[in-house]
PDB file of all heavy atoms in Angstrom:
ATOM      1  N   PHE A  42      43.256-120.267 116.427  1.00  0.00           N
ATOM      2  CA  PHE A  42      42.148-119.524 115.823  1.00  0.00           C
ATOM      3  C   PHE A  42      42.643-118.567 114.738  1.00  0.00           C
ATOM      4  O   PHE A  42      41.984-118.386 113.705  1.00  0.00           O
ATOM      5  CB  PHE A  42      41.408-118.755 116.920  1.00  0.00           C
ATOM      6  CG  PHE A  42      40.147-118.098 116.474  1.00  0.00           C
ATOM      7  CD1 PHE A  42      38.983-118.834 116.299  1.00  0.00           C
ATOM      8  CD2 PHE A  42      40.105-116.733 116.218  1.00  0.00           C
ATOM      9  CE1 PHE A  42      37.813-118.225 115.885  1.00  0.00           C
ATOM     10  CE2 PHE A  42      38.945-116.115 115.803  1.00  0.00           C
ATOM     11  CZ  PHE A  42      37.793-116.867 115.636  1.00  0.00           C
ATOM     12  N   ASP A  43      43.792-117.950 114.943  1.00  0.00           N
ATOM     13  CA  ASP A  43      44.291-116.946 114.006  1.00  0.00           C
ATOM     14  C   ASP A  43      44.651-117.526 112.646  1.00  0.00           C
ATOM     15  O   ASP A  43      44.662-116.804 111.641  1.00  0.00           O
ATOM     16  CB  ASP A  43      45.507-116.230 114.600  1.00  0.00           C
ATOM     17  CG  ASP A  43      45.138-115.367 115.794  1.00  0.00           C
ATOM     18  OD1 ASP A  43      43.972-114.939 115.866  1.00  0.00           O
ATOM     19  OD2 ASP A  43      46.002-115.139 116.660  1.00  0.00           O
ATOM     20  N   LEU A  44      44.984-118.800 112.601  1.00  0.00           N
ATOM     21  CA  LEU A  44      45.355-119.427 111.333  1.00  0.00           C
ATOM     22  C   LEU A  44      44.146-119.916 110.537  1.00  0.00           C
ATOM     23  O   LEU A  44      44.299-120.368 109.400  1.00  0.00           O
ATOM     24  CB  LEU A  44      46.307-120.606 111.583  1.00  0.00           C
ATOM     25  CG  LEU A  44      47.692-120.242 112.129  1.00  0.00           C
ATOM     26  CD1 LEU A  44      48.543-121.491 112.283  1.00  0.00           C
ATOM     27  CD2 LEU A  44      48.389-119.229 111.230  1.00  0.00           C
ATOM     28  N   LYS A  45      42.974-119.816 111.127  1.00  0.00           N
ATOM     29  CA  LYS A  45      41.755-120.231 110.430  1.00  0.00           C
ATOM     30  C   LYS A  45      41.303-119.147 109.467  1.00  0.00           C
ATOM     31  O   LYS A  45      41.563-117.962 109.668  1.00  0.00           O
ATOM     32  CB  LYS A  45      40.642-120.524 111.447  1.00  0.00           C
ATOM     33  CG  LYS A  45      40.977-121.604 112.474  1.00  0.00           C
ATOM     34  CD  LYS A  45      41.086-122.968 111.828  1.00  0.00           C
ATOM     35  CE  LYS A  45      41.343-124.046 112.876  1.00  0.00           C
ATOM     36  NZ  LYS A  45      41.467-125.396 112.271  1.00  0.00           N
ATOM     37  N   SER A  46      40.600-119.571 108.419  1.00  0.00           N
ATOM     38  CA  SER A  46      40.017-118.604 107.493  1.00  0.00           C
ATOM     39  C   SER A  46      38.857-117.882 108.172  1.00  0.00           C
ATOM     40  O   SER A  46      38.382-118.304 109.235  1.00  0.00           O
ATOM     41  CB  SER A  46      39.532-119.313 106.228  1.00  0.00           C
ATOM     42  OG  SER A  46      38.446-120.174 106.531  1.00  0.00           O
ATOM     43  N   GLU A  47      38.400-116.817 107.554  1.00  0.00           N
ATOM     44  CA  GLU A  47      37.306-116.046 108.148  1.00  0.00           C
ATOM     45  C   GLU A  47      36.041-116.888 108.283  1.00  0.00           C
ATOM     46  O   GLU A  47      35.332-116.811 109.302  1.00  0.00           O
ATOM     47  CB  GLU A  47      37.020-114.806 107.302  1.00  0.00           C
ATOM     48  CG  GLU A  47      35.952-113.902 107.909  1.00  0.00           C
ATOM     49  CD  GLU A  47      35.725-112.641 107.095  1.00  0.00           C
ATOM     50  OE1 GLU A  47      36.502-112.405 106.142  1.00  0.00           O
ATOM     51  OE2 GLU A  47      34.772-111.902 107.410  1.00  0.00           O
ATOM     52  N   ASP A  48      35.765-117.718 107.274  1.00  0.00           N
ATOM     53  CA  ASP A  48      34.580-118.582 107.339  1.00  0.00           C
ATOM     54  C   ASP A  48      34.710-119.602 108.469  1.00  0.00           C
ATOM     55  O   ASP A  48      33.739-119.880 109.188  1.00  0.00           O
ATOM     56  CB  ASP A  48      34.376-119.301 106.002  1.00  0.00           C
ATOM     57  CG  ASP A  48      33.937-118.355 104.891  1.00  0.00           C
ATOM     58  OD1 ASP A  48      33.421-117.262 105.222  1.00  0.00           O
ATOM     59  OD2 ASP A  48      34.127-118.703 103.713  1.00  0.00           O
ATOM     60  N   GLU A  49      35.914-120.161 108.613  1.00  0.00           N
ATOM     61  CA  GLU A  49      36.137-121.131 109.689  1.00  0.00           C
ATOM     62  C   GLU A  49      36.016-120.472 111.054  1.00  0.00           C
ATOM     63  O   GLU A  49      35.450-121.063 111.991  1.00  0.00           O
ATOM     64  CB  GLU A  49      37.519-121.769 109.531  1.00  0.00           C
ATOM     65  CG  GLU A  49      37.635-122.715 108.344  1.00  0.00           C
ATOM     66  CD  GLU A  49      39.043-123.236 108.149  1.00  0.00           C
ATOM     67  OE1 GLU A  49      39.994-122.437 108.349  1.00  0.00           O
ATOM     68  OE2 GLU A  49      39.203-124.423 107.801  1.00  0.00           O
ATOM     69  N   GLN A  50      36.533-119.258 111.170  1.00  0.00           N
ATOM     70  CA  GLN A  50      36.423-118.538 112.435  1.00  0.00           C
ATOM     71  C   GLN A  50      34.968-118.265 112.792  1.00  0.00           C
ATOM     72  O   GLN A  50      34.551-118.442 113.940  1.00  0.00           O
ATOM     73  CB  GLN A  50      37.212-117.233 112.355  1.00  0.00           C
ATOM     74  CG  GLN A  50      38.718-117.416 112.313  1.00  0.00           C
ATOM     75  CD  GLN A  50      39.457-116.089 112.230  1.00  0.00           C
ATOM     76  OE1 GLN A  50      38.858-115.027 112.040  1.00  0.00           O
ATOM     77  NE2 GLN A  50      40.783-116.133 112.380  1.00  0.00           N
ATOM     78  N   ASN A  51      34.195-117.842 111.811  1.00  0.00           N
ATOM     79  CA  ASN A  51      32.775-117.570 112.056  1.00  0.00           C
ATOM     80  C   ASN A  51      32.033-118.846 112.445  1.00  0.00           C
ATOM     81  O   ASN A  51      31.127-118.808 113.302  1.00  0.00           O
ATOM     82  CB  ASN A  51      32.137-116.954 110.809  1.00  0.00           C
ATOM     83  CG  ASN A  51      32.644-115.549 110.539  1.00  0.00           C
ATOM     84  OD1 ASN A  51      33.054-114.831 111.455  1.00  0.00           O
ATOM     85  ND2 ASN A  51      32.627-115.132 109.280  1.00  0.00           N
ATOM     86  N   LEU A  52      32.422-119.969 111.838  1.00  0.00           N
ATOM     87  CA  LEU A  52      31.784-121.242 112.167  1.00  0.00           C
ATOM     88  C   LEU A  52      32.106-121.650 113.612  1.00  0.00           C
ATOM     89  O   LEU A  52      31.221-122.101 114.346  1.00  0.00           O
ATOM     90  CB  LEU A  52      32.254-122.331 111.200  1.00  0.00           C
ATOM     91  CG  LEU A  52      31.657-123.731 111.409  1.00  0.00           C
ATOM     92  CD1 LEU A  52      30.138-123.677 111.254  1.00  0.00           C
ATOM     93  CD2 LEU A  52      32.264-124.717 110.417  1.00  0.00           C
ATOM     94  N   ILE A  53      33.361-121.457 114.015  1.00  0.00           N
ATOM     95  CA  ILE A  53      33.762-121.795 115.382  1.00  0.00           C
ATOM     96  C   ILE A  53      33.036-120.912 116.387  1.00  0.00           C
ATOM     97  O   ILE A  53      32.530-121.387 117.415  1.00  0.00           O
ATOM     98  CB  ILE A  53      35.291-121.636 115.541  1.00  0.00           C
ATOM     99  CG1 ILE A  53      36.019-122.680 114.696  1.00  0.00           C
ATOM    100  CG2 ILE A  53      35.694-121.780 117.015  1.00  0.00           C
ATOM    101  CD1 ILE A  53      37.521-122.486 114.635  1.00  0.00           C
ATOM    102  N   ILE A  54      32.970-119.612 116.093  1.00  0.00           N
ATOM    103  CA  ILE A  54      32.276-118.678 116.993  1.00  0.00           C
ATOM    104  C   ILE A  54      30.806-119.036 117.111  1.00  0.00           C
ATOM    105  O   ILE A  54      30.225-119.051 118.203  1.00  0.00           O
ATOM    106  CB  ILE A  54      32.440-117.232 116.492  1.00  0.00           C
ATOM    107  CG1 ILE A  54      33.912-116.802 116.598  1.00  0.00           C
ATOM    108  CG2 ILE A  54      31.564-116.281 117.306  1.00  0.00           C
ATOM    109  CD1 ILE A  54      34.197-115.445 115.992  1.00  0.00           C
TER     110      ILE A  54
END
Side-chain angles (χ1 to χ4, degrees):
F42 188 78
D43 292 334
L44 293 182
K45 302 292 183 181
S46 66
E47 184 177 352
D48 290 339
E49 290 175 322
Q50 290 180 351
N51 291 333
L52 181 60
I53 293 172
I54 293 174

